Structures are given as C-alpha cells and as structure tokens.
Amino acid sequence: MSGAMIKMGIYGMVRVSFDLIGEVRWEWGIVVLIVGTASSLLGVLYALMQHDLKRLLAYHSIENIGIILMGLGMSMIFLGSGHRMLGTLGLVAALYHTINHALFKGLLFLGAGAVLYRTHERDLDHMGGLIHRMPVTAFLFLVGSVAISALPPFNGFVSEWLTFQTALQAPALENGLLRAMIPIAAALLALTGALAAACFVKAFGIAFLGKPRSRRAARAREVPVGMLGGMGLLAALCLLLGVFPTTVIEAMAPITQLLVHESLPSAAAQGWLWLTPISPEVASYSAPFVVAAIIVVHGLGYLFLRRRAIPALRAYPWDCGFGHLTSRMQYTSTAFSQPIRRVFGGVWKVEERIDTLAGGGPIPRVTSLHYDLHTQDWSWLKIYLPIGRLVLAAANRIGFIQTGNIHTYLKFSFATLLAFLWIVS
Amino acid sequence: MDSQLTAWALAAAQALLFIASAPLLAGWLRRVKCHMQNRAAPALWQPYRDLAKLLKKRMLLADNASWLFRAVPYIVFSAMLLAAAVVPLVAVNLPSAAIADLIVLVGFFALARFFTALAALDIGTAFGGMGASREMMVAALAEPAMLMAVFTLSMTANTTNLSVATAYILQSGLVLRPSFLFALLALAMVAVAETSRIPVDNPATHLELTMLHEAMILEYGGRHLALIEWATQIKLMIYAVLIVDLFFPWGIATDFSAMVLAVGVVAVAAKLMLIAVLLVVWETVLAKMRLFRVPQFLGFSFMLSLLAMLTHVVLETGG
Amino acid sequence: MEFAALSLYNQAIILFAALALFTSFIMLAQARMMPLIFTFAWQGLLLTVVSVLVAIASGHPQLHISAAITFCLKVVVIPYLLYRLSARLNMQYDAEVIEHPTLLLLGGVALVIFSYHVSQSIIHLSGLATRNTIAVSMAIELLGMLLMCARKSAVAQVIGFMSMESGIFFAAVVSTYGMPLIVELGLAFDILVASILFGVFFFHLRDSFGSLNVGQFNRLSEANQPMPSPEATEPSSGERS
C-alpha cells in the first residue's frame, strides 16, 4: 500500500508539470526543492523518535517522498533554465528513487508484518533477539534497511547518488542564488541519509539484535515460506536494481523520452559495468565491483582465517563483575535516539517526565523510577489541528442549508446547473 | 589492451601498498606521540605485531552473537579496502579510481559504520548500545559537513572523481582559493571526528563510558578484532591521503615510469609523516570534549564548509 | 572570470576578504568578551592587509595611508580601548549566553546569500577584478548588524557597530579603490570619537542600570512597567570605586 499509494501524488505531479503543462518554469522547481528538502529532513527526524515499527516506516515514507521531490525540483530548475540533459538526469534520479522506494518500503513493511505475525508486537522496545528465532526474516529486513539507508551496493544508494550528481551540476546555472542554494539542499540530503542510517541501526538493532525484551519475542518462530518468498523477491530486486543501474536507466529511457523528449545515453556509455551519468571524467560508480570486492574479502577470510583457525569459543560477555547481563540492561530505542533528540531539540514537542517513588525509612532511597517520554509532531499541532478546526467551524456555519427537504436540494442543483451554463457560455 | 592491463596491475599494487602501509602510519603516529609526551616509544612495526598476534589468537564469541556479528568484520574490511582502492596514493589516472567517486567513498564509510553499530547492538550489552548510539549521532553531524566540503572541491574541479580532481588541482598550480582553505579546515575537523581521535573520541582510554568507537567493538576478539583494527588504521590513512591529495597533491605520479612512481612514493610518505606530526600536536594540546560539545564542534565544521561553498560561489565564479 | 586566471595579488585580496568574512562569523559565535575583542582586532588586521594589497596591485599609494589609519584604529587603538574598558568594568572574562547559536549562524549564512543576491545587480557596474568582494563587504556589514541585533551585552553591540563600519570601508576599498582621503579621515575620527563616547556611556549605563545588558533597557519605557529583574536589585558584581 505505502509503496504504491503515495506514489500517486508523485505521478500526478510528474504528469501535470512535465506532460500536461509542457513548459516547465524554474520557479516551481525552487518551491518543489524546498518542500522536498524540508519534508525529507523532518520526516527522518520524526521517524527517529518512533518506537512503533510501523509508524517509523510510515514516517520514512515522508522522508523518501521528500528525496523524490528534491530530484523533481532540481529537474524542473534545470529544465526551466534550458539545461535539458541535466533536467533529464534529475528526472531519472527522481523516478529511480520512486521505484526503489516502492521496493524497499514494501520489503520493510512485509518484514514488520512478519514480526507482527509471530510476536504480536509493534513496539520496538518489546522485541529484540529476533535474529536467532527468525534468521531469514532478519536477513531480508536487513537488506531493506541497508537499501533505505542509502548504502552501497543496494538500490537506495544509486538513486541518492544520482540526486547528488544532479545537485553538483548546479554551477551550470546562471542564477547565482540557485548556485548557492542547491548544494545546501544536497548537504541537507546528506544529513537526511545519515539520520536515516541511524534510524535503521536503531530499528534493526533494537528489533532483531540483542536479547529478547519480552516473552513473546523470545518465543517467536520463523514465518511460513510464502511470506519469506514475497520478501525474498523484493530483496532480490533491491540488490539487482542496486548492482545494475545502467540497465534500469536504459529501460527508463522511453519514459523520459515521453516526458521531456530526452534520455540519458551517457549513463551507460561505458558499458554495463560503469554508471557514468554525465561523463566518465565527471563521475562514475561501479556497483558490480563493490559486490565482487565484498565477496572476495569474505572468501579470502574464509580460506585463510576461518578454515585454519581453532573453532571459536562461546562465553558470556564481560559484565564488569556484577552478575549476568539481562535484557533490561540493553539500550532501548528511546535511549538510542536520545543524543539526536538532544541535538535537534526544537524539532519535536518533547514531553519528558521522570517519576520517582521514594521509599520510607531513615535514609530516603528511590524504590522505583518511571521514565515517560512523548514526542509529538509539530505539523500535527500547527497545521492539521487548525485546519481541522477551521473545516469543522465552516461545516457548522453552512449546516443550515441542510434542511432535509428534497425540494430544496433540487433547487440547489437547478441553480448550480444554471450558474455553470452561464459561466461556460 | 596491454597498457590497460599494466594500469590495472598498478592499481592493484597501489591498493595493496595502501592497506599494507596503514599499520605503519599508525605505528609512526604512536611513536611520535610517545616522543612528544616523554614516554618510551614502541617499535615502528608494533601494529603489525599486534595484528599478527590477534590473527593467530583463538576466538572468543559472546553467547548471544549471531551470524551478523561474525560477518561484520569482513564487511567493514571490504568497505575500507574498496575505499583504499579508490584513493590515489602514489599515482593518479589509475583505472580503479573509476569504481567509485567521492560520494561513494562517503558511502563506503557509512556502510562500515552502519554494520559496526549493528554488531555493537548484537551482543546486548549496554556499552555496545551506547557506543552505537553516540557514533551514529556523530556520524549524522559529520557527514553533511564532509559532503559539503567535498562538494566545494568538486564544483571547482567539475568532477567527483578523486583521481581527476587531484590531477586538476595538480595542473592548475598555486591558486589561492579561499574556498579551499575553509574546506581544508572543515575536512580536517571531520576527519578528526570520523577517525575517532581526540577531542571527539579517545581511542586510548580505558574508561568504557568515554568511548565512542571502541565501545562498539568491545566484544570483538581474535581475527575479527584484527580485521576491525586494521580497517580503522586504513580509515585513518584514507582521510590523511584524501587531505594530501586534494590540497597538497604536488609530487604525485601522473605517468607510470619507475622514476616518477618512486618520487610519488617518497612524496606521499613525507607528507603523511608530516600530517601525523600535526595530528599528534593537535591531540597533545587538546583534551577530549564532553559528548554534547561535539555537535558544536561539528556544527562549526559544517559552517566552515558552508562558508567554503559560499565563497566559492560568491568570489570564485561568475562576475 | 576564471579565478585561476587572476593575478596572485588579486587572488590574495579575495582570500583575505573571505577570511575577514570568516572573522565576522567567529564574532557572531564568540560568547566570551576577550576573544570577541581579539577577533575584532584580527578583522582590522585583515582589512589592513587587503588595503595594502589593493594599494600595491592597483598602484594607488594613498591607500597605504588609509591602511595605516585602519591599522592604528582598528587593530591597536579601539581594541585596546575596549579591552581597558572591559578590564575596568571587570568583565573581561564574562561570557554571555547566546540563544540558539546554530540558528544565529545559519541566519548569518542566509545573510551572505542574500547580500550576494543583492550585489549581483551592482557588481557589473564595476570593472575591477576584485568586484566580487562587494558581496563579501556587504555581508560583513549585515553580519555586524546581526551581531548587534542578537547580542545583549553592550560591548558586543559596539563591536557589531564597528564591524559594520569595517564593512563599509572594505566595500570602498575593493570597489572604487578607496574613498577620498578626507572622507576616510573624517570617518576614522568619527569612529574614534564614537568609541570614546561608548566608553563614557558604559560607565553611566552601569551606574544607572547595574548591568551592561541591553535587554534591560526596556525598563526605561514607562508604558508597561515590567517587574524589577533580580539583577537590578542585586549589587553589581564588579564594584569599582
């Protein structure tokens, strides 16, 4: 759902601005770029504060739509100022990210669903240790996490890289203001990417790694093969789209041809091994090499280190000498994001409360501590609630025309019809 | 075809030289530091001995360690290996530089960091979680500053390919670009933060609570630890070579004759030794900061890189 | 114009201009009194270097005189006066709390972009190689104004004001090779008088308010009498004869 539904907005924007209107203005691009940057940054910051796995993923959709919009915005800016090739590059980056987001977000939602199916939990702080009980789901969720965090060699990286490349062509523009602003937007995109990585270290690390934090998590089992198959397909596509970007961009050529009457022949000019969006001197990236290097290092490590070594010993981790570690000693998702919450303090409406219960006796000592944290989205309080109130008030005002009398309604329809006919003529 | 083969062979040799000499840089750094702080210094090749000892040791795994924990050292090492293959150490115009550009290089670092943080969370100790959480915060702030500084350079050279950028700076000779000055400062600050040096992190401390990077790898031992330590040394060297390449590229080889290559080796060795001395001075005069001062440190570095970009746009172009 | 094609002198001028802009940012972020004054002196020094370089590069010897005036005033006299003032008021080690330092710096960056945008329309009027630095000089002015807006301590206000003047002088040097000498002399004299007047005012302010925090000046207004703040009731910390 999330993968496909929210793309309708992007589809509409692309169709209207590139296809229907035809003449793209660069001023629109600025608006789209600013909205995209703000949306991606705020989306990932709000996602970081979530400890409900599905909500976290939903906030990441905001972030990813923001990234797509950044690509689209830059595309409009370049097209509007007459740089057709660079505009096409931005469009390709945006479309590529649209596909990618559908793939990895689908994968991650399926993974969250699989976890929910076996543990009946959506709260990260009640999971943990699932990698031992559900190894395949964990692996597939990891693939999705790496892809959405824009790390090589998966697909999320390719589209963000293309977006960066588009941004770096800003010196081609005549307008000095734009030349200065686009790289700043790109730096914010880098911030977004790093925060997304932090967020998915949190999501994967708290949910799947460590020790189980609840009984249900400790008793989870692997999900049926059917569910794994669906996720496996998406994960494989994530890898393929990451490793063979040239093929994908070539396949996208008809779309860009249709929209802006251009395609990117330079992207695959050096063969399938090298992705060179503008020219090989300017930038190149070879994902197959990356995959090959990781496989080779693993193979060498296995050959020279693992095979000859004595089998590893298992032991309890160091506990500073106080009894055994329990699952309650682990970092929670709230604790994990605390430094970031402190650094970007003003973004959330944070309500933090620590309740302490002091025990009796001559020396007062704390018997129980309760920590309570609520982070709320400013956009809900400042945008949605006022609009909601406004709509409600308006509805109350015009409620009087709802008489319930069919004749009145017929008169309304008749009057509207006449009015429209008058306007049209 | 034949010349291409030699080029690839040279590229492979350069990458091997890179990863082989990274412990040497670490040893040199340690030695200079000891001399500066009036301590008896270990031998220059002590890091090699440490690595060899760790590689031979029997492994001890925590009982909660999963397959991910065992795979992470290899992933981290291969990410650093790739990064090392891309950075021109002795010569530019090698074909391996086309594998990845500067942005992908940052991506490699992010990949290594992502998996190290996951491995830290895998065991389920509090230290691991703490290290992971703090490292991700520092990274989130350092990455935009680094990319911004890198963008400034690549906008000047109109490329993100490291080798081409180095060659461009080399052939344009002495140009007093203010943007380069700011970018250099910003990049140096980011490098200090990313390679977990003082004042952001103290790799030599014995107090787990003050660690960032070390807290994440507390549970590693044996060959896994050897790989991670080696990767850390490579990372330090990559940052040093990056700064050398982008700001002081003089002496690097542009063709592949033996004489020029020898000059390149000597030049880069001398420059790296100098950078190490500067780093030691910096580390000796400064104390480690409180964790929540780090955002200010990195914020300053981000501002420097912003300023670099703005001066590039305002002063060095157009008109 | 390609930057690498400029002569080394012009490149150096631009480099030092950028450094002067950087010192403006440092002043914006610097909360402590002494480093603030020192940074201001550094900015003066950079201005001196720029005017000497322009004098050499353009062959306008009278710029040497204005460079000398700048050096005397902005590097030596005014910082020294400010230092002595703050030492006598016993506040040279004070640090004020800057609200939202990151936001302030980002605002500064926005001002730089803005001044660049504004100066685009006048840049082409000048034929000099260093004309791009007009945007920088305007940014220095605006940043001085921002410093005055954002800070509460009166010393920071003065420094903001002086740095605005530096910006104007800088603009004159790089865009038209300096103002007529008589105007410059007059300006320099004005600045000197202003700094002395500020010093006198500081003492009066401290005597009547017990603080140099300009945020408290709204107590002057009679319209909405605020509650007396705790600082006003306390005896001021650095009591002097």
Side-chain angles (χ1 to χ4, degrees):
Chain A
M1 275 294 272
S2 154
M5 277 301 280
I6 52 181
K7 300 295 157 22
M8 294 310 290
I10 299 292
Y11 176 75
M13 279 187 65
V14 171
R15 274 320 272 251
V16 169
S17 54
F18 288 87
D19 207 17
L20 289 181
I21 299 180
E23 194 68 29
V24 181
R25 300 284 303 256
W26 61 268
E27 290 91 341
W28 307 339
I30 297 179
V31 176
V32 174
L33 181 64
I34 291 174
V35 168
T37 313
S39 145
S40 63
L41 195 56
L42 291 178
V44 73
L45 281 173
Y46 286 124
L48 260 165
M49 289 306 122
Q50 306 305 320
H51 48 88
D52 178 325
L53 189 53
K54 289 204 159 183
R55 277 179 76 108
L56 183 146
L57 292 177
Y59 270 113
H60 267 287
S61 295
I62 300 180
E63 178 222 336
N64 279 293
I65 293 294
I67 296 174
I68 296 171
L69 287 184
M70 285 175 79
L72 273 185
M74 285 192 284
S75 168
M76 288 177 185
I77 290 175
F78 281 119
L79 282 177
S81 19
H83 299 277
R84 301 205 67 82
M85 275 312 285
L86 298 175
T88 315
L89 178 60
L91 186 61
V92 166
L95 291 176
Y96 207 132
H97 201 77
T98 314
I99 303 173
N100 289 343
H101 179 238
L103 289 176
F104 54 61
K105 194 44 75 65
L107 171 60
L108 289 169
F109 265 118
L110 285 181
V115 172
L116 184 64
Y117 179 63
R118 282 306 189 203
T119 64
H120 307 286
E121 285 291 354
R122 292 200 313 189
D123 191 343
L124 284 174
D125 290 336
H126 294 158
M127 298 178 193
L130 292 177
I131 196 170
H132 301 288
R133 314 286 311 188
M134 313 166 73
V136 184
T137 314
F139 176 74
L140 297 173
F141 196 88
L142 179 65
V143 169
S145 304
V146 175
I148 198 174
S149 309
L151 297 174
F154 285 93
N155 57 353
F157 181 75
V158 178
S159 43
E160 272 197 30
W161 187 74
L162 288 173
T163 315
F164 277 129
Q165 289 299 339
T166 319
L168 278 176
Q169 294 307 312
L173 292 169
E174 284 75 36
N175 188 327
L177 206 58
L178 288 177
R179 278 208 303 260
M181 273 172 63
I182 290 179
I184 293 178
L188 290 179
L189 178 61
L191 179 62
T192 307
L195 287 173
C199 190
F200 275 93
V201 167
K202 172 182 123 169
F204 186 80
I206 304 289
F208 287 94
L209 303 177
K211 291 185 170 147
R213 291 175 171 79
S214 68
R215 235 166 11 141
R216 281 171 173 168
R219 286 190 196 149
R221 285 183 295 128
E222 190 58 90
V223 289
V225 183
M227 287 174 90
L228 292 179
M231 285 192 274
L233 181 69
L234 288 174
L237 281 174
C238 277
L239 184 63
L240 283 179
L241 259 71
V243 178
F244 302 108
T246 44
T247 324
V248 181
I249 291 177
E250 277 181 342
M252 250 185 236
I255 307 173
T256 53
Q257 278 289 358
L258 186 75
L259 288 175
V260 293
H261 314 292
E262 281 277 354
S263 61
L264 275 183
S266 55
Q270 306 290 310
W272 59 273
L273 208 50
W274 309 97
L275 175 62
T276 49
I278 297 138
S279 75
E281 285 79 38
V282 172
S284 55
Y285 166 54
S286 169
F289 261 103
V290 178
V291 178
I294 293 176
I295 292 170
V296 165
V297 168
H298 268 86
L300 287 179
Y302 183 78
L303 273 182
F304 288 103
L305 299 175
R306 181 96 185 264
R307 227 175 41 171
R308 282 196 248 156
I310 325 160
L313 214 63
R314 291 275 176 170
Y316 283 118
W318 170 236
D319 49 20
C320 299
F322 301 96
H324 281 312
L325 295 168
T326 69
S327 65
R328 303 250 305 151
M329 293 180 186
Q330 297 176 92
Y331 250 49
T332 60
S333 68
T334 319
F336 189 89
S337 44
Q338 189 266 350
I340 293 173
R341 186 167 65 240
R342 203 165 143 177
V343 173
F344 296 95
V347 180
W348 306 277
K349 182 176 167 20
V350 181
E351 288 164 17
E352 214 169 354
R353 212 174 67 231
I354 301 176
D355 294 332
T356 46
L357 266 180
I363 310 156
R365 63 198 170 86
V366 175
T367 51
S368 99
L369 259 177
H370 184 74
Y371 178 76
D372 210 22
L373 176 86
H374 287 287
T375 47
Q376 230 178 341
D377 194 330
W378 279 120
S379 67
W380 176 253
L381 295 171
K382 298 280 169 194
I383 302 174
Y384 290 108
L385 279 186
I387 290 179
R389 258 183 248 129
L390 203 72
V391 169
L392 212 62
N396 279 335
R397 289 280 168 76
I398 58 172
F400 76 94
I401 57 171
Q402 299 272 356
T403 54
N405 189 341
I406 289 197
H407 278 103
T408 326
Y409 292 154
L410 276 175
K411 279 175 207 155
F412 281 146
S413 307
F414 188 56
T416 317
L417 187 68
L418 287 180
F420 270 122
L421 280 175
W422 187 50
I423 290 169
V424 167
S425 68
Chain B
M1 199 61 223
D2 203 36
S3 69
Q4 248 206 330
L5 214 61
T6 11
W8 274 105
L10 270 175
Q14 176 179 279
L16 284 179
L17 178 70
F18 203 115
I19 58 170
S21 54
L24 195 65
L25 181 69
W28 166 254
L29 201 65
R30 243 187 260 178
R31 220 179 141 74
V32 177
K33 198 166 188 177
C34 285
H35 278 306
M36 192 154 283
Q37 299 175 347
N38 273 335
R39 290 185 283 146
L44 204 55
W45 42 85
Q46 187 61 38
Y48 292 103
R49 288 187 196 146
D50 292 346
L51 287 180
K53 182 187 74 185
L54 283 173
L55 281 174
K56 273 184 279 183
K57 262 195 155 177
R58 187 174 185 187
M59 293 273 301
L60 199 60
L61 281 176
D63 61 343
N64 201 36
S66 63
W67 55 265
L68 184 73
F69 189 78
R70 308 179 75 138
V72 162
Y74 299 100
I75 298 176
V76 170
F77 190 78
S78 41
M80 286 305 150
L81 178 71
L82 275 165
V86 171
V87 180
L89 176 71
V90 177
V92 289
N93 302 332
L94 288 176
S96 61
I99 294 176
D101 64 352
L102 276 162
I103 303 171
V104 188
L105 195 71
V106 178
F108 288 148
F109 291 146
L111 181 73
R113 193 186 310 116
F114 185 85
F115 277 100
T116 318
L118 282 185
L121 286 168
D122 191 22
I123 304 298
T125 64
F127 286 136
M130 193 178 68
S133 151
R134 292 178 175 179
E135 173 94 356
M136 291 320 278
M137 177 199 75
V138 171
L141 297 169
E143 211 161 278
M146 166 147 188
L147 272 178
M148 199 72 183
V150 163
F151 284 170
T152 310
L153 305 177
S154 52
M155 276 163 82
T156 308
N158 192 25
T159 174
T160 54
N161 183 315
L162 204 51
S163 174
V164 179
T166 309
Y168 172 86
I169 295 158
L170 192 62
Q171 60 98 8
S172 61
L174 180 70
V175 184
L176 302 172
R177 291 182 192 276
S179 63
F180 272 41
L181 183 68
F182 295 138
L184 168 64
L185 288 174
L187 205 57
M189 285 171 84
V190 170
V192 164
E194 287 266 293
T195 53
S196 38
R197 316 295 303 189
I198 293 173
V200 174
D201 189 3
N202 185 355
T205 177
H206 291 283
L207 205 62
E208 294 92 335
L209 282 171
T210 60
M211 293 173 173
L212 267 73
H213 182 74
E214 291 290 306
M216 293 198 293
I217 57 172
L218 271 181
E219 305 300 334
Y220 272 114
R223 56 175 186 272
H224 289 165
L225 184 62
L227 283 178
I228 288 186
E229 290 279 321
W230 198 355
T232 315
Q233 289 161 356
I234 296 175
K235 188 175 180 183
L236 176 67
M237 180 140 156
I238 290 174
Y239 269 103
V241 173
L242 202 61
I243 289 175
V244 164
D245 274 348
L246 289 177
F247 299 99
F248 317 101
W250 300 286
I252 202 163
T254 44
D255 57 49
F256 305 143
S257 67
M259 187 60 204
V260 179
L261 286 179
V263 169
V265 171
V266 173
V268 82
K271 285 183 279 191
L272 285 181
M273 279 163 81
L274 197 68
I275 278 208
V277 172
L278 288 178
L279 179 62
V280 166
V281 172
W282 164 272
E283 284 204 303
T284 310
V285 298
L286 287 177
K288 187 185 173 302
M289 304 177 178
R290 214 153 55 79
L291 180 70
F292 286 103
R293 294 265 298 165
V294 173
Q296 280 177 33
F297 178 81
L298 291 171
F300 185 66
S301 132
F302 182 63
M303 202 209 72
L304 273 172
S305 56
L306 259 182
L307 213 56
M309 213 278 301
L310 285 178
T311 46
H312 170 73
V313 171
V314 173
L315 292 175
E316 294 169 16
T317 59
Chain C
M1 196 180 310
E2 187 50 43
F3 184 79
L6 294 176
S7 74
L8 270 185
Y9 274 123
N10 284 336
Q11 286 182 16
I13 290 169
I14 290 175
L15 178 69
F16 284 109
L19 284 175
L21 182 65
F22 178 57
T23 51
S24 268
F25 272 98
I26 300 258
M27 282 194 266
L28 212 54
Q30 186 55 262
R32 279 172 299 171
M33 208 53 72
M34 289 297 294
L36 188 63
I37 297 172
F38 277 131
T39 320
F40 175 70
W42 273 105
Q43 192 176 45
L45 187 65
L46 287 168
L47 276 182
T48 315
V49 173
V50 167
S51 21
V52 169
L53 282 173
V54 171
I56 297 172
S58 67
H60 282 67
Q62 81 271 20
L63 274 176
H64 283 296
I65 303 171
S66 41
I69 298 172
T70 316
F71 183 80
C72 289
L73 273 183
K74 295 226 174 89
V75 188
V76 182
V77 177
I78 294 179
Y80 176 71
L81 279 179
L82 281 173
Y83 167 71
R84 237 194 35 186
L85 212 63
S86 51
R88 283 175 67 185
L89 291 168
N90 220 350
M91 52 184 287
Q92 73 264 48
Y93 301 116
D94 283 7
E96 63 176 303
V97 182
I98 305 176
E99 285 156 21
H100 309 297
T102 322
L103 224 59
L104 192 60
L105 287 178
L106 287 181
V109 169
L111 278 183
V112 176
I113 299 178
F114 176 73
S115 53
Y116 174 54
H117 182 63
V118 172
S119 65
Q120 286 262 292
S121 49
I122 43 173
I123 273 179
H124 63 91
L125 295 177
S126 166
L128 306 182
T130 52
R131 58 173 183 258
N132 278 337
T133 40
I134 294 174
V136 169
S137 57
M138 192 182 277
I140 292 176
E141 274 176 66
L142 293 179
L143 285 173
M145 192 83 194
L146 183 67
L147 184 70
M148 289 179 76
C149 294
R151 290 305 192 76
K152 294 205 188 69
S153 107
V155 176
Q157 307 271 316
V158 175
I159 288 198
F161 176 76
M162 300 282 175
S163 116
M164 276 172 74
E165 199 278 333
S166 300
I168 294 168
F169 171 74
F170 189 60
V173 168
V174 292
S175 57
T176 62
Y177 292 146
M179 294 176 262
L181 201 57
I182 189 78
V183 178
E184 221 157 89
L185 276 175
L187 251 178
F189 189 67
D190 278 354
I191 289 293
L192 194 63
V193 170
S195 66
I196 293 166
L197 279 180
F198 276 129
V200 176
F201 271 126
F202 281 176
F203 282 99
H204 282 288
L205 284 177
R206 211 205 36 173
D207 283 347
S208 46
F209 287 96
S211 142
L212 280 184
N213 189 333
V214 292
Q216 312 220 337
F217 287 5
N218 54 7
R219 280 192 285 140
L220 284 173
S221 104
E222 292 169 356
N224 44 354
Q225 203 75 30
M227 298 291 286
S229 59
E231 287 101 314
T233 50
E234 278 168 13
S236 61
S237 50
E239 225 25 307
R240 205 187 57 87
S241 63

